[in-house]
Amino acid sequence: CQPIQMNGRSNSAHHLYVLKINYESINMSRAELMLKLRERNIGSQVHYIPVTSQPHYRNLGYNPHDYVHAMEYYQQALSIPLYYDLTDDEVEYVIKTLKELLS
């Protein structure tokens, strides 16, 4: 598990904190991990579904699997909490919980 954005952090809007997770290597699906986080009161999301996966673009003939990098990103991405009122204690709780679940 590692942050998606490794470089240029000083240029970021910091509105999303996206992790890149190899779910196969942790023997857990993204849905299972999201459920386990939810059970511990930690919200998570997937940002963003590749444009070519949207019905409109599929109807135009785009095949999402032709865009390997977009699909790879989508299959491994998970956004964890990042917002203005997030406390240091909450950050530590999210990190501790992820370490427990991913190990």
Side-chain angles (χ1 to χ4, degrees), residues 1-2 10 13 16 24-25 31-34 48-50 56 61 67-69 73 77 79 83-84 96 98:
C1 163
Q2 65 182 19
S10 61
L16 296 174
E24 187 176 310
S25 72
E32 290 170 320
L33 178 58
M34 291 176 76
Y48 295 93
I49 296 170
H56 174 74
Y67 301 87
V68 177
H69 297 292
Y73 165 84
S79 295
Y83 52 91
Y84 181 76
K96 179 182 172 228
L98 279 167

PDB file of all heavy atoms in Angstrom, residues 1-2 10 13 16 24-25 31-34 48-50 56 61 67-69 73 77 79 83-84 96 98:
ATOM      1  N   CYS A   1       0.850  -1.164   0.000  1.00  0.00           N
ATOM      2  CA  CYS A   1       0.000   0.000   0.000  1.00  0.00           C
ATOM      3  C   CYS A   1       0.895   1.227   0.000  1.00  0.00           C
ATOM      4  O   CYS A   1       1.810   1.322   0.815  1.00  0.00           O
ATOM      5  CB  CYS A   1      -0.883  -0.077   1.231  1.00  0.00           C
ATOM      6  SG  CYS A   1      -1.670   1.410   1.711  1.00  0.00           S
ATOM      7  N   GLN A   2       0.645   2.120  -0.929  1.00  0.00           N
ATOM      8  CA  GLN A   2       1.436   3.350  -0.983  1.00  0.00           C
ATOM      9  C   GLN A   2       0.579   4.468  -1.556  1.00  0.00           C
ATOM     10  O   GLN A   2      -0.381   4.212  -2.262  1.00  0.00           O
ATOM     11  CB  GLN A   2       2.672   3.144  -1.844  1.00  0.00           C
ATOM     12  CG  GLN A   2       2.358   2.885  -3.314  1.00  0.00           C
ATOM     13  CD  GLN A   2       3.609   2.627  -4.123  1.00  0.00           C
ATOM     14  OE1 GLN A   2       4.654   2.301  -3.594  1.00  0.00           O
ATOM     15  NE2 GLN A   2       3.514   2.765  -5.419  1.00  0.00           N
ATOM     16  N   SER A  10       3.654  19.291  -3.126  1.00  0.00           N
ATOM     17  CA  SER A  10       3.468  20.712  -2.808  1.00  0.00           C
ATOM     18  C   SER A  10       2.542  21.391  -3.812  1.00  0.00           C
ATOM     19  O   SER A  10       2.065  22.492  -3.559  1.00  0.00           O
ATOM     20  CB  SER A  10       4.811  21.433  -2.764  1.00  0.00           C
ATOM     21  OG  SER A  10       5.446  21.363  -4.027  1.00  0.00           O
ATOM     22  N   ALA A  13      -3.885  19.795  -4.502  1.00  0.00           N
ATOM     23  CA  ALA A  13      -5.011  20.430  -3.818  1.00  0.00           C
ATOM     24  C   ALA A  13      -5.338  19.691  -2.521  1.00  0.00           C
ATOM     25  O   ALA A  13      -6.071  20.194  -1.685  1.00  0.00           O
ATOM     26  CB  ALA A  13      -6.249  20.431  -4.720  1.00  0.00           C
ATOM     27  N   LEU A  16      -8.024  14.670  -1.977  1.00  0.00           N
ATOM     28  CA  LEU A  16      -8.161  13.211  -1.943  1.00  0.00           C
ATOM     29  C   LEU A  16      -6.837  12.620  -1.481  1.00  0.00           C
ATOM     30  O   LEU A  16      -5.767  13.117  -1.819  1.00  0.00           O
ATOM     31  CB  LEU A  16      -8.467  12.645  -3.332  1.00  0.00           C
ATOM     32  CG  LEU A  16      -9.772  13.040  -3.988  1.00  0.00           C
ATOM     33  CD1 LEU A  16      -9.823  12.496  -5.410  1.00  0.00           C
ATOM     34  CD2 LEU A  16     -10.956  12.555  -3.194  1.00  0.00           C
ATOM     35  N   GLU A  24      -4.795  -8.491  -4.569  1.00  0.00           N
ATOM     36  CA  GLU A  24      -4.454  -9.912  -4.697  1.00  0.00           C
ATOM     37  C   GLU A  24      -3.400 -10.296  -3.666  1.00  0.00           C
ATOM     38  O   GLU A  24      -3.471 -11.360  -3.046  1.00  0.00           O
ATOM     39  CB  GLU A  24      -3.962 -10.202  -6.121  1.00  0.00           C
ATOM     40  CG  GLU A  24      -3.741 -11.662  -6.399  1.00  0.00           C
ATOM     41  CD  GLU A  24      -3.356 -11.897  -7.857  1.00  0.00           C
ATOM     42  OE1 GLU A  24      -4.052 -11.377  -8.749  1.00  0.00           O
ATOM     43  OE2 GLU A  24      -2.351 -12.604  -8.063  1.00  0.00           O
ATOM     44  N   SER A  25      -2.428  -9.408  -3.454  1.00  0.00           N
ATOM     45  CA  SER A  25      -1.336  -9.735  -2.533  1.00  0.00           C
ATOM     46  C   SER A  25      -1.782  -9.759  -1.073  1.00  0.00           C
ATOM     47  O   SER A  25      -1.115 -10.375  -0.238  1.00  0.00           O
ATOM     48  CB  SER A  25      -0.170  -8.759  -2.704  1.00  0.00           C
ATOM     49  OG  SER A  25      -0.509  -7.491  -2.180  1.00  0.00           O
ATOM     50  N   ALA A  31     -13.778  -4.445  -2.042  1.00  0.00           N
ATOM     51  CA  ALA A  31     -15.072  -4.386  -1.351  1.00  0.00           C
ATOM     52  C   ALA A  31     -14.952  -4.909   0.076  1.00  0.00           C
ATOM     53  O   ALA A  31     -15.538  -4.332   1.005  1.00  0.00           O
ATOM     54  CB  ALA A  31     -16.122  -5.174  -2.132  1.00  0.00           C
ATOM     55  N   GLU A  32     -14.199  -5.998   0.249  1.00  0.00           N
ATOM     56  CA  GLU A  32     -14.012  -6.542   1.597  1.00  0.00           C
ATOM     57  C   GLU A  32     -13.260  -5.563   2.497  1.00  0.00           C
ATOM     58  O   GLU A  32     -13.627  -5.362   3.663  1.00  0.00           O
ATOM     59  CB  GLU A  32     -13.243  -7.865   1.540  1.00  0.00           C
ATOM     60  CG  GLU A  32     -14.038  -9.007   0.948  1.00  0.00           C
ATOM     61  CD  GLU A  32     -13.185 -10.229   0.673  1.00  0.00           C
ATOM     62  OE1 GLU A  32     -12.035 -10.089   0.204  1.00  0.00           O
ATOM     63  OE2 GLU A  32     -13.678 -11.335   0.953  1.00  0.00           O
ATOM     64  N   LEU A  33     -12.208  -4.943   1.953  1.00  0.00           N
ATOM     65  CA  LEU A  33     -11.445  -3.965   2.729  1.00  0.00           C
ATOM     66  C   LEU A  33     -12.310  -2.763   3.077  1.00  0.00           C
ATOM     67  O   LEU A  33     -12.298  -2.291   4.226  1.00  0.00           O
ATOM     68  CB  LEU A  33     -10.189  -3.527   1.974  1.00  0.00           C
ATOM     69  CG  LEU A  33      -9.336  -2.472   2.680  1.00  0.00           C
ATOM     70  CD1 LEU A  33      -8.871  -2.956   4.055  1.00  0.00           C
ATOM     71  CD2 LEU A  33      -8.141  -2.093   1.803  1.00  0.00           C
ATOM     72  N   MET A  34     -13.079  -2.289   2.141  1.00  0.00           N
ATOM     73  CA  MET A  34     -13.959  -1.145   2.396  1.00  0.00           C
ATOM     74  C   MET A  34     -14.974  -1.478   3.487  1.00  0.00           C
ATOM     75  O   MET A  34     -15.263  -0.641   4.351  1.00  0.00           O
ATOM     76  CB  MET A  34     -14.655  -0.706   1.107  1.00  0.00           C
ATOM     77  CG  MET A  34     -13.710  -0.087   0.095  1.00  0.00           C
ATOM     78  SD  MET A  34     -14.499   0.346  -1.473  1.00  0.00           S
ATOM     79  CE  MET A  34     -15.382   1.831  -0.990  1.00  0.00           C
ATOM     80  N   TYR A  48     -11.263   7.690  -9.359  1.00  0.00           N
ATOM     81  CA  TYR A  48     -12.502   7.815 -10.102  1.00  0.00           C
ATOM     82  C   TYR A  48     -12.656   6.631 -11.002  1.00  0.00           C
ATOM     83  O   TYR A  48     -11.670   6.027 -11.401  1.00  0.00           O
ATOM     84  CB  TYR A  48     -12.483   9.102 -10.920  1.00  0.00           C
ATOM     85  CG  TYR A  48     -12.468  10.351 -10.089  1.00  0.00           C
ATOM     86  CD1 TYR A  48     -11.265  10.955  -9.742  1.00  0.00           C
ATOM     87  CD2 TYR A  48     -13.652  10.915  -9.645  1.00  0.00           C
ATOM     88  CE1 TYR A  48     -11.273  12.111  -8.985  1.00  0.00           C
ATOM     89  CE2 TYR A  48     -13.651  12.087  -8.892  1.00  0.00           C
ATOM     90  CZ  TYR A  48     -12.458  12.675  -8.555  1.00  0.00           C
ATOM     91  OH  TYR A  48     -12.452  13.800  -7.803  1.00  0.00           O
ATOM     92  N   ILE A  49     -13.889   6.337 -11.395  1.00  0.00           N
ATOM     93  CA  ILE A  49     -14.125   5.286 -12.372  1.00  0.00           C
ATOM     94  C   ILE A  49     -13.637   5.806 -13.729  1.00  0.00           C
ATOM     95  O   ILE A  49     -13.954   6.932 -14.108  1.00  0.00           O
ATOM     96  CB  ILE A  49     -15.627   4.942 -12.432  1.00  0.00           C
ATOM     97  CG1 ILE A  49     -16.076   4.370 -11.078  1.00  0.00           C
ATOM     98  CG2 ILE A  49     -15.928   3.971 -13.558  1.00  0.00           C
ATOM     99  CD1 ILE A  49     -17.568   4.217 -10.937  1.00  0.00           C
ATOM    100  N   PRO A  50     -12.862   5.005 -14.463  1.00  0.00           N
ATOM    101  CA  PRO A  50     -12.368   5.478 -15.760  1.00  0.00           C
ATOM    102  C   PRO A  50     -13.517   5.940 -16.670  1.00  0.00           C
ATOM    103  O   PRO A  50     -14.570   5.301 -16.727  1.00  0.00           O
ATOM    104  CB  PRO A  50     -11.673   4.249 -16.345  1.00  0.00           C
ATOM    105  CG  PRO A  50     -11.268   3.444 -15.151  1.00  0.00           C
ATOM    106  CD  PRO A  50     -12.364   3.660 -14.151  1.00  0.00           C
ATOM    107  N   HIS A  56     -22.129   6.078 -21.220  1.00  0.00           N
ATOM    108  CA  HIS A  56     -22.139   6.929 -22.416  1.00  0.00           C
ATOM    109  C   HIS A  56     -20.968   6.588 -23.335  1.00  0.00           C
ATOM    110  O   HIS A  56     -21.136   6.450 -24.551  1.00  0.00           O
ATOM    111  CB  HIS A  56     -22.096   8.409 -22.021  1.00  0.00           C
ATOM    112  CG  HIS A  56     -21.954   9.332 -23.185  1.00  0.00           C
ATOM    113  ND1 HIS A  56     -23.000   9.592 -24.050  1.00  0.00           N
ATOM    114  CD2 HIS A  56     -20.898  10.047 -23.634  1.00  0.00           C
ATOM    115  CE1 HIS A  56     -22.589  10.432 -24.988  1.00  0.00           C
ATOM    116  NE2 HIS A  56     -21.318  10.723 -24.751  1.00  0.00           N
ATOM    117  N   GLY A  61     -18.613   3.122 -28.101  1.00  0.00           N
ATOM    118  CA  GLY A  61     -17.706   2.109 -28.613  1.00  0.00           C
ATOM    119  C   GLY A  61     -16.375   2.014 -27.896  1.00  0.00           C
ATOM    120  O   GLY A  61     -15.507   1.234 -28.301  1.00  0.00           O
ATOM    121  N   TYR A  67      -7.551   0.775 -22.338  1.00  0.00           N
ATOM    122  CA  TYR A  67      -6.862   1.824 -21.594  1.00  0.00           C
ATOM    123  C   TYR A  67      -6.281   1.193 -20.330  1.00  0.00           C
ATOM    124  O   TYR A  67      -6.788   1.349 -19.224  1.00  0.00           O
ATOM    125  CB  TYR A  67      -7.828   2.974 -21.292  1.00  0.00           C
ATOM    126  CG  TYR A  67      -8.375   3.555 -22.564  1.00  0.00           C
ATOM    127  CD1 TYR A  67      -9.508   3.013 -23.166  1.00  0.00           C
ATOM    128  CD2 TYR A  67      -7.710   4.583 -23.212  1.00  0.00           C
ATOM    129  CE1 TYR A  67      -9.989   3.505 -24.368  1.00  0.00           C
ATOM    130  CE2 TYR A  67      -8.189   5.086 -24.417  1.00  0.00           C
ATOM    131  CZ  TYR A  67      -9.318   4.537 -24.991  1.00  0.00           C
ATOM    132  OH  TYR A  67      -9.785   5.027 -26.182  1.00  0.00           O
ATOM    133  N   VAL A  68      -5.187   0.471 -20.544  1.00  0.00           N
ATOM    134  CA  VAL A  68      -4.598  -0.385 -19.518  1.00  0.00           C
ATOM    135  C   VAL A  68      -4.242   0.388 -18.254  1.00  0.00           C
ATOM    136  O   VAL A  68      -4.527  -0.061 -17.146  1.00  0.00           O
ATOM    137  CB  VAL A  68      -3.348  -1.108 -20.080  1.00  0.00           C
ATOM    138  CG1 VAL A  68      -2.673  -1.946 -19.021  1.00  0.00           C
ATOM    139  CG2 VAL A  68      -3.737  -1.949 -21.276  1.00  0.00           C
ATOM    140  N   HIS A  69      -3.646   1.546 -18.396  1.00  0.00           N
ATOM    141  CA  HIS A  69      -3.209   2.301 -17.216  1.00  0.00           C
ATOM    142  C   HIS A  69      -4.396   2.820 -16.413  1.00  0.00           C
ATOM    143  O   HIS A  69      -4.356   2.817 -15.178  1.00  0.00           O
ATOM    144  CB  HIS A  69      -2.276   3.443 -17.613  1.00  0.00           C
ATOM    145  CG  HIS A  69      -1.010   2.956 -18.244  1.00  0.00           C
ATOM    146  ND1 HIS A  69      -0.048   2.247 -17.544  1.00  0.00           N
ATOM    147  CD2 HIS A  69      -0.561   3.040 -19.517  1.00  0.00           C
ATOM    148  CE1 HIS A  69       0.941   1.928 -18.358  1.00  0.00           C
ATOM    149  NE2 HIS A  69       0.652   2.399 -19.561  1.00  0.00           N
ATOM    150  N   TYR A  73      -5.087   1.675 -12.563  1.00  0.00           N
ATOM    151  CA  TYR A  73      -5.337   2.644 -11.495  1.00  0.00           C
ATOM    152  C   TYR A  73      -6.652   2.310 -10.783  1.00  0.00           C
ATOM    153  O   TYR A  73      -6.699   2.208  -9.567  1.00  0.00           O
ATOM    154  CB  TYR A  73      -5.400   4.072 -12.054  1.00  0.00           C
ATOM    155  CG  TYR A  73      -6.012   5.035 -11.069  1.00  0.00           C
ATOM    156  CD1 TYR A  73      -5.236   5.621 -10.079  1.00  0.00           C
ATOM    157  CD2 TYR A  73      -7.379   5.317 -11.099  1.00  0.00           C
ATOM    158  CE1 TYR A  73      -5.803   6.473  -9.146  1.00  0.00           C
ATOM    159  CE2 TYR A  73      -7.949   6.166 -10.169  1.00  0.00           C
ATOM    160  CZ  TYR A  73      -7.163   6.737  -9.199  1.00  0.00           C
ATOM    161  OH  TYR A  73      -7.729   7.564  -8.274  1.00  0.00           O
ATOM    162  N   ALA A  77      -6.968   1.529  -6.754  1.00  0.00           N
ATOM    163  CA  ALA A  77      -7.159   2.781  -6.023  1.00  0.00           C
ATOM    164  C   ALA A  77      -8.165   2.651  -4.884  1.00  0.00           C
ATOM    165  O   ALA A  77      -9.178   1.973  -5.010  1.00  0.00           O
ATOM    166  CB  ALA A  77      -7.627   3.874  -6.984  1.00  0.00           C
ATOM    167  N   SER A  79      -9.506   5.621  -1.895  1.00  0.00           N
ATOM    168  CA  SER A  79      -9.370   6.908  -1.213  1.00  0.00           C
ATOM    169  C   SER A  79      -9.752   6.752   0.248  1.00  0.00           C
ATOM    170  O   SER A  79     -10.801   6.185   0.569  1.00  0.00           O
ATOM    171  CB  SER A  79     -10.278   7.966  -1.849  1.00  0.00           C
ATOM    172  OG  SER A  79      -9.877   8.223  -3.174  1.00  0.00           O
ATOM    173  N   TYR A  83      -9.883  15.497   5.045  1.00  0.00           N
ATOM    174  CA  TYR A  83     -10.763  16.659   5.065  1.00  0.00           C
ATOM    175  C   TYR A  83     -10.291  17.629   6.135  1.00  0.00           C
ATOM    176  O   TYR A  83      -9.469  17.291   6.999  1.00  0.00           O
ATOM    177  CB  TYR A  83     -12.228  16.262   5.289  1.00  0.00           C
ATOM    178  CG  TYR A  83     -12.482  15.369   6.481  1.00  0.00           C
ATOM    179  CD1 TYR A  83     -12.775  15.912   7.721  1.00  0.00           C
ATOM    180  CD2 TYR A  83     -12.422  13.984   6.354  1.00  0.00           C
ATOM    181  CE1 TYR A  83     -13.000  15.092   8.817  1.00  0.00           C
ATOM    182  CE2 TYR A  83     -12.653  13.168   7.440  1.00  0.00           C
ATOM    183  CZ  TYR A  83     -12.945  13.723   8.670  1.00  0.00           C
ATOM    184  OH  TYR A  83     -13.166  12.920   9.748  1.00  0.00           O
ATOM    185  N   TYR A  84     -10.802  18.825   6.078  1.00  0.00           N
ATOM    186  CA  TYR A  84     -10.326  19.943   6.895  1.00  0.00           C
ATOM    187  C   TYR A  84     -10.338  19.640   8.390  1.00  0.00           C
ATOM    188  O   TYR A  84      -9.390  19.964   9.099  1.00  0.00           O
ATOM    189  CB  TYR A  84     -11.171  21.190   6.600  1.00  0.00           C
ATOM    190  CG  TYR A  84     -10.736  22.394   7.387  1.00  0.00           C
ATOM    191  CD1 TYR A  84      -9.596  23.093   7.031  1.00  0.00           C
ATOM    192  CD2 TYR A  84     -11.461  22.812   8.493  1.00  0.00           C
ATOM    193  CE1 TYR A  84      -9.183  24.197   7.760  1.00  0.00           C
ATOM    194  CE2 TYR A  84     -11.062  23.908   9.231  1.00  0.00           C
ATOM    195  CZ  TYR A  84      -9.913  24.591   8.856  1.00  0.00           C
ATOM    196  OH  TYR A  84      -9.508  25.670   9.589  1.00  0.00           O
ATOM    197  N   LYS A  96      -3.277   3.219  11.763  1.00  0.00           N
ATOM    198  CA  LYS A  96      -3.182   2.007  12.594  1.00  0.00           C
ATOM    199  C   LYS A  96      -4.121   0.920  12.076  1.00  0.00           C
ATOM    200  O   LYS A  96      -3.737  -0.248  11.952  1.00  0.00           O
ATOM    201  CB  LYS A  96      -3.520   2.350  14.040  1.00  0.00           C
ATOM    202  CG  LYS A  96      -3.489   1.174  14.977  1.00  0.00           C
ATOM    203  CD  LYS A  96      -3.887   1.608  16.386  1.00  0.00           C
ATOM    204  CE  LYS A  96      -4.046   0.383  17.255  1.00  0.00           C
ATOM    205  NZ  LYS A  96      -5.250   0.368  18.028  1.00  0.00           N
ATOM    206  N   LEU A  98      -5.438   0.577   9.021  1.00  0.00           N
ATOM    207  CA  LEU A  98      -4.970   0.064   7.726  1.00  0.00           C
ATOM    208  C   LEU A  98      -3.804  -0.885   7.898  1.00  0.00           C
ATOM    209  O   LEU A  98      -3.753  -1.940   7.256  1.00  0.00           O
ATOM    210  CB  LEU A  98      -4.611   1.221   6.798  1.00  0.00           C
ATOM    211  CG  LEU A  98      -5.768   1.877   6.091  1.00  0.00           C
ATOM    212  CD1 LEU A  98      -5.349   3.191   5.467  1.00  0.00           C
ATOM    213  CD2 LEU A  98      -6.369   0.940   5.043  1.00  0.00           C
TER     214      LEU A  98
END
